[in-house]
């Protein structure tokens, strides 16, 4: 008879491991606090030139933002090397980076991560339109045509707008799996790679909600300059926290359900790629308030809440596999996990 799956904090079952095997190390509160302080402190240091200069109008603002995205990764590295909360041979496994077992689950969850955020952002536009927060032109694409006319040199022949729309939509998952994923990895290895499993000892929902709040507050150095919502004040920070919690629960679920950080990396890349979807579907001559209709705004909170409710009803938050079970050997023994190089 197979061993019964052990249970982690919060009542979630751990699949694919025997009792007493495959349990992640317990990270102390000191290491968690140190990670948060280092990640947020480095973010402020990276953004400091913007504060001392012309803010987001500085020409180096665009290349500086990807640097800021790697401050959580730097914080993980510092905590791992100095405080050593996870034994050396288990670090990649704890972070959900390696090994990728079972591969089928990781691959399909990664595909979900690539595609689902695009659909959710589009659904949030429909919700925003239903509440009157944005005006869309899904058939005529008048707003998109307006943008194309402004950007293309006068007299330049353009392909049919439908072809351009399809091209834009196809490039989102491609970018999400490549350049966007490269940038998003710097954040995800911190938030979903380290922080979520570190906090999971306190329960699944505290881990998801606290990590989402931290993720939102980490954005403060640029949100207070007007990034995302064009609200350089506490309101903008609170909106960012709300958006980060909404998406953080979904990305955290991908992390826990797959036991891998990679689906969350690709989902973060897809979110960043789909963030400008409003430009494709808005009605010409209209504007919108990103606090309500943007990918981090209130409409997206509503969509995320519905998705989370469905996941709760179907018991998806209780299915949390191990962080990569060791391969069984002959006679039912368990092969040790190979140490990282």
């Amino acid at each position: 008879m197979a061993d019964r799956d052990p249970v982690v904090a919060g009542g979630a079952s751990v699949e694919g491991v025997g009792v007493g095997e495959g349990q992640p190390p317990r990270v102390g509160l000191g290491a968690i606090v140190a990670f948060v302080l280092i990640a947020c402190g480095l973010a402020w240091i990276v953004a400091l030139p913007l504060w001392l200069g012309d803010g987001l109008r500085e020409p180096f603002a665009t290349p500086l933002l990807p640097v800021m995205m790697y401050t959580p990764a730097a914080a993980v590295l510092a905590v791992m090397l100095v405080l050593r909360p996870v034994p050396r041979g288990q670090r990649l496994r704890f972070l959900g980076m390696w090994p990728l077992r079972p591969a089928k689950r990781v691959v399909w969850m990664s595909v979900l991560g690539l595609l689902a955020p695009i659909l959710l952002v589009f659904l949030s536009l429909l919700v925003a339109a239903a509440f009157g927060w944005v005006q869309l032109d899904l058939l005529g694409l008048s707003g998109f045509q307006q943008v194309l006319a402004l950007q293309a040199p006068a007299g330049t022949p353009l392909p049919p707008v439908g072809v351009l729309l399809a091209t834009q939509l196809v490039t989102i998952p491609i970018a999400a799996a490549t350049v966007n994923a490269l940038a998003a990895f710097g954040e995800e290895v911190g938030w979903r790679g380290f922080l979520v499993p570190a906090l999971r000892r306190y329960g699944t929902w505290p881990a998801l909600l606290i990590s989402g709040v931290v993720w939102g507050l980490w954005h403060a150095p640029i949100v207070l300059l007007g990034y995302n919502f064009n609200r350089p004040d506490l309101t903008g920070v609170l909106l960012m926290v709300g958006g980060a919690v909404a998406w953080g629960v979904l990305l955290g679920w991908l992390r826990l359900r797959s036991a891998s950080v990679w689906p969350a990396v690709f989902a973060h890349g897809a979110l960043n790629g789909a963030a400008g979807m409003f430009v494709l579907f808005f009605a010409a001559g209209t504007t919108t308030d990103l606090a309500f209709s943007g990918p981090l705004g209130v409409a997206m909170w509503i969509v995320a809440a519905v998705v989370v409710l469905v996941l709760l009803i179907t018991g998806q938050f209780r299915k949390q596999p191990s962080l990569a079970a060791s391969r069984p050997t002959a006679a039912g023994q368990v092969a040790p996990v190979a140490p990282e190089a």
Side-chain angles (χ1 to χ4, degrees):
M1 181 179 295
D3 292 329
R4 180 173 297 177
D5 293 337
V7 176
V8 299
S13 64
V14 181
E15 303 171 342
V17 295
V19 175
E21 186 265 322
Q23 294 296 307
R26 289 170 64 88
V27 176
L29 183 60
I32 295 172
V33 172
F35 163 77
V36 173
L37 293 178
I38 294 172
C40 293
L42 289 176
W44 277 100
I45 292 174
V46 171
L48 185 60
L50 301 178
W51 282 82
L52 297 177
D54 201 18
L56 297 176
R57 290 183 293 273
E58 288 287 354
F60 55 80
T62 299
L64 198 64
L65 294 180
V67 176
M68 180 175 163
M69 293 179 72
Y70 267 79
T71 57
V76 170
L77 184 62
V79 169
M80 288 293 188
L81 293 179
V82 177
L83 299 181
R84 301 178 181 179
V86 180
R88 184 173 180 273
Q90 301 181 40
R91 290 171 185 170
L92 292 182
R93 185 183 182 206
F94 180 85
L95 295 173
M97 295 171 59
W98 187 264
L100 305 179
R101 291 198 305 267
K104 182 178 179 180
R105 181 178 66 212
V106 174
V107 169
W108 282 112
M109 294 294 286
S110 296
V111 172
L112 180 64
L114 283 172
L115 300 179
I118 303 171
L119 175 61
L120 296 183
V121 171
F122 179 74
L123 290 177
S124 73
L125 287 176
L126 298 182
V127 170
F131 280 97
W133 297 331
V134 64
Q135 296 183 45
L136 302 178
D137 183 3
L138 300 178
L139 298 179
L141 304 175
S142 58
F144 187 35
Q145 294 190 67
Q146 176 181 297
V147 171
L148 293 174
L150 292 174
Q151 293 181 346
T156 302
L158 294 174
V161 66
V163 174
L164 294 176
L165 173 66
T167 302
Q168 291 290 323
L169 294 177
V170 168
T171 58
I172 293 177
I174 295 175
T178 53
V179 61
N180 285 5
L182 182 63
F185 173 79
E187 288 193 50
E188 289 305 313
V189 74
W191 310 133
R192 260 62 64 175
F194 176 81
L195 189 56
V196 166
L199 289 171
R200 194 166 58 161
R201 61 182 294 186
Y202 303 107
T204 295
W205 282 101
L208 295 176
L209 297 176
I210 293 172
S211 62
V213 170
V214 172
W215 185 27
L217 293 175
W218 171 84
H219 287 85
I222 54 176
V223 171
L224 290 173
L225 292 174
Y227 194 72
N228 285 120
F229 303 103
N230 197 28
R231 282 177 165 82
D233 52 28
L234 180 60
T235 303
V237 175
L238 293 177
L239 286 167
M240 187 67 231
V241 170
V245 169
W247 279 104
V249 171
L250 298 177
L251 269 61
W253 172 76
L254 284 174
R255 168 67 166 97
L256 296 177
R257 186 65 183 87
S258 68
S260 171
V261 74
W262 299 111
V265 169
F266 293 129
H268 194 154
L271 169 60
N272 289 347
M277 191 176 292
F278 163 77
V279 175
L280 304 178
F281 299 108
F282 80 105
T286 65
T287 58
T288 188
D289 188 343
L290 294 178
F292 294 95
S293 60
L296 297 167
V298 176
M300 188 61 237
W301 303 358
I302 296 173
V303 172
V306 172
V307 174
V308 169
L309 181 60
V310 172
L311 293 175
L312 277 171
I313 293 174
T314 56
Q316 288 298 310
F317 283 96
R318 293 184 58 83
K319 299 177 180 179
Q320 299 178 17
S322 64
L323 293 177
S326 300
R327 291 189 181 94
T329 61
Q333 297 179 339
V334 176
V337 178
E340 298 108 359

